[in-house]
Amino acid sequence: MSIRSFWDGKGLFETHELVTIGLFAAGAKASALVIALVGGGMNPLTMILKSAVYSALLVVLLAKVPKTGTLTLANLVGALLAFFLMGQSMLAIPALVIGTLLVELFIKAIGGLERHPGYAILTVALSEFVIRFINLGVSYLMVREQPQLLVMVVVVVAFSYLGIIVGLVGGYFMTRELRHAGLLQ
Amino acid sequence: MQDFSSKLSNSSRGLVELSCETRLLLTLFASIFSLIFSDVYSLAILLFASAVYLVLETRLKTIVIVYIIFAFMAGIAMLCAHLLGYVLSGMRSQSPIQALLPMMRLMISVNTIIPLAINARLSGMVNSLNRLKLPGIIKLPLLITIRFIPTFLNDLRQLRVAIRVRFRGRGGFFFWVIRPFLWWRVFFMPLVVRLIRSADELAMAAELKGLSSDTDFGREKLVFSKADRLVILLALYSIMAAFLARDFYA
């Protein structure tokens, strides 16, 4: 494999898988944006709902493209989009990619996403935890002179992770239903 | 394709018009250097430079509106932090200057984000992505994401209309708050089904067109205008001045 082939990711993903990852990243970002706008910004209900929808979509994506690297690519695309559109935390992107990739490699080591449908849920739960941990680190750098603001950030992160857990449960039932309907293999 | 930000961007043009790459570069500078500096003088220089950039790139009316919204949100956050400060008395900061520093960092980021977010056009974004030498495995999903968002928002609108028709006369706010499972069933499930179907259809279309991760989407040459070069140069001078101020006052 040449360097150019490796750089372009040839052989890692098929075209239809890349399209699916792109569409789900768009769906996750757009629904988060709509919920934030309709819900009136940073209130606990909006944060829980936003995270729930996001994680449920990720579970469905992993059921549709059960490959190592899917979640990393989806998160990377989402983060790059957030940076391009809103200038959000460019600094967190490398750490986010490494964190998610490590989680995916761990899942691969214990059998891979194909082994059990529950592994998709485990992957999302672990990677979201790692991402939130990294975001807390970046937030600490921002507010290091006034640490009580970090307490606010921790509260926000806790609410959003609660939403992730709700979304994982919803995603599990949704995946089952979609498999039953023949929309997922 | 609907260019959903074009109306807003047309009304928000400032004194100069910079390229998307310059805006991204300045946002990157702001996010990195606002974290590096932790003294009030350096951050004040960066804040001033970012404010100048904001005034050059965005109309005054837009700046005022965004700042009022920002002040409102920051006020609520500060109030909550103040209340928490009473609860966790050991975590209070030592001086008002130290309390000011996180706010200054936030303002620097906001000043650079406003021009990027307000003036962003989908077409410009796609062109700028084509100019960046990203690997195909990232570029293809990213381009699809950018192109698909307006279509997805349109799908959401259609779903909302369908729900209005179905629950006519009883679809108020509390109706949905006390029935989260119903919301999940009538709104979220159809949305995911729509997403999966769109993914299948678009994937088939992409494969038929021969698109893949190694497709060349036509790399245009990146050309910086005079205004771009001047603004980047001023940004670099401001960063150097901030470093000098840090060393001088240390």
Side-chain angles (χ1 to χ4, degrees), chain A residues 19-149:
Chain A
V19 171
T20 308
I21 291 169
L23 284 194
F24 270 82
K29 274 287 154 206
S31 43
L33 189 75
V34 168
I35 291 169
L37 286 175
V38 173
M42 297 278 280
N43 62 66
L45 191 70
T46 310
M47 279 188 285
I48 291 174
L49 200 61
K50 209 168 70 168
S51 306
V53 169
Y54 182 73
S55 65
L57 280 176
L58 287 184
V59 170
V60 177
L61 171 66
L62 285 183
K64 190 144 175 68
V65 188
K67 269 189 173 178
T68 306
T70 302
L71 196 60
T72 308
L73 197 53
N75 278 336
L76 177 62
V77 168
L80 282 175
L81 188 75
F83 176 66
F84 279 122
L85 287 178
M86 295 169 276
Q88 270 178 7
S89 60
M90 182 67 177
L91 290 179
I93 294 177
L96 179 148
V97 170
I98 294 167
T100 316
L101 197 59
L102 284 177
V103 169
E104 288 206 276
L105 289 175
F106 167 70
I107 296 293
K108 179 85 176 164
I110 60 169
L113 288 166
E114 298 90 348
R115 190 172 170 188
H116 193 273
Y119 280 14
I121 292 168
L122 184 65
T123 311
V124 177
L126 283 177
S127 69
E128 288 302 314
F129 184 80
V130 171
I131 290 168
R132 270 155 185 74
F133 194 74
I134 293 165
N135 283 339
L136 269 181
V138 175
S139 302
Y140 172 72
L141 287 177
M142 283 284 282
V143 297
R144 56 188 183 267
E145 290 85 7
Q146 202 182 11
Q148 70 262 40
L149 284 178

Side-chain angles (χ1 to χ4, degrees), chain A residues 4 6-31 33-35 41-42 45 49 52-54 56-57 60 64 73 76-78 80-91 138 141-152 155 166-167 169-171 174 177-178 183-184, chain B residues 24 27-28 31-32 34-38 73 77-78 80-81 84-85 88 91-94 98-102 105-106 109 113 116-117 120 122 125 128-129 132-138 140-142 144-146 148-149 152-153 156 173 177 183-185 188-189 191-193 195-200 202-203 206-207 211-214 219:
Chain A
R4 175 70 204 268
F6 179 76
W7 178 245
D8 276 344
K10 269 184 195 169
L12 289 177
F13 288 98
E14 302 287 328
T15 305
H16 65 92
E17 290 167 343
L18 290 176
V19 171
T20 308
I21 291 169
L23 284 194
F24 270 82
K29 274 287 154 206
S31 43
L33 189 75
V34 168
I35 291 169
M42 297 278 280
L45 191 70
L49 200 61
V53 169
Y54 182 73
L57 280 176
V60 177
K64 190 144 175 68
L73 197 53
L76 177 62
V77 168
L80 282 175
L81 188 75
F83 176 66
F84 279 122
L85 287 178
M86 295 169 276
Q88 270 178 7
S89 60
M90 182 67 177
L91 290 179
V138 175
L141 287 177
M142 283 284 282
V143 297
R144 56 188 183 267
E145 290 85 7
Q146 202 182 11
Q148 70 262 40
L149 284 178
L150 196 68
V151 179
M152 283 291 294
V155 172
V166 172
V169 177
M174 189 181 284
E177 211 163 317
L178 290 170
L183 287 163
L184 289 177
Chain B
L24 287 172
T27 313
L28 187 64
S31 60
I32 292 172
S34 64
L35 283 185
I36 287 176
F37 294 114
S38 56
M73 286 169 71
M78 288 302 284
C80 293
L84 273 170
L88 306 161
M91 294 185 76
R92 283 186 197 170
S93 62
Q94 282 79 29
Q98 281 189 325
L100 201 67
L101 296 180
R105 280 197 194 103
L106 200 62
S109 297
I113 286 168
L116 187 71
L122 286 188
M125 206 81 68
S128 120
L129 263 178
L132 296 174
K133 287 182 180 174
L134 285 172
I137 197 171
I138 298 171
L140 183 63
L142 197 54
I144 286 167
T145 306
I146 291 175
F148 185 69
I149 282 181
F152 185 78
L153 291 175
L156 283 176
F173 180 72
V177 168
W183 176 84
W184 191 270
R185 175 128 317 265
F188 194 50
M189 270 309 272
L191 199 67
V192 174
V193 171
L195 208 56
I196 290 174
R197 290 223 168 113
S198 299
D200 289 339
L202 271 181
E207 278 180 345
L211 283 179
S212 67
S213 57
D214 56 331
R219 279 175 190 161

Side-chain angles (χ1 to χ4, degrees), chain B residues 149-168:
Chain B
I149 282 181
T151 315
F152 185 78
L153 291 175
N154 196 39
D155 285 352
L156 283 176
R157 213 168 292 131
Q158 286 178 350
L159 261 175
R160 205 186 65 183
V161 172
I163 290 169
R164 267 193 190 168
V165 172
R166 194 172 164 190
F167 295 94
R168 203 177 162 192

Side-chain angles (χ1 to χ4, degrees), chain B residues 174-231:
Chain B
F174 287 105
F175 178 81
W176 295 106
V177 168
I178 58 170
R179 294 174 180 84
F181 291 109
L182 187 64
W183 176 84
W184 191 270
R185 175 128 317 265
V186 300
F187 189 76
F188 194 50
M189 270 309 272
L191 199 67
V192 174
V193 171
R194 176 96 189 100
L195 208 56
I196 290 174
R197 290 223 168 113
S198 299
D200 289 339
E201 285 165 12
L202 271 181
M204 206 181 288
E207 278 180 345
L208 282 172
K209 277 192 168 181
L211 283 179
S212 67
S213 57
D214 56 331
T215 305
D216 196 353
F217 294 94
R219 279 175 190 161
E220 295 171 33
K221 215 175 171 188
L222 178 59
V223 181
F224 283 115
S225 67
K226 236 180 201 175
D228 286 315
R229 275 176 281 171
L230 190 68
V231 168

Side-chain angles (χ1 to χ4, degrees), chain B residues 12-25:
Chain B
S12 311
R13 291 269 174 255
L15 295 171
V16 292
E17 195 175 333
L18 301 174
S19 71
C20 196
E21 286 82 1
T22 309
R23 288 187 200 127
L24 287 172
L25 195 66

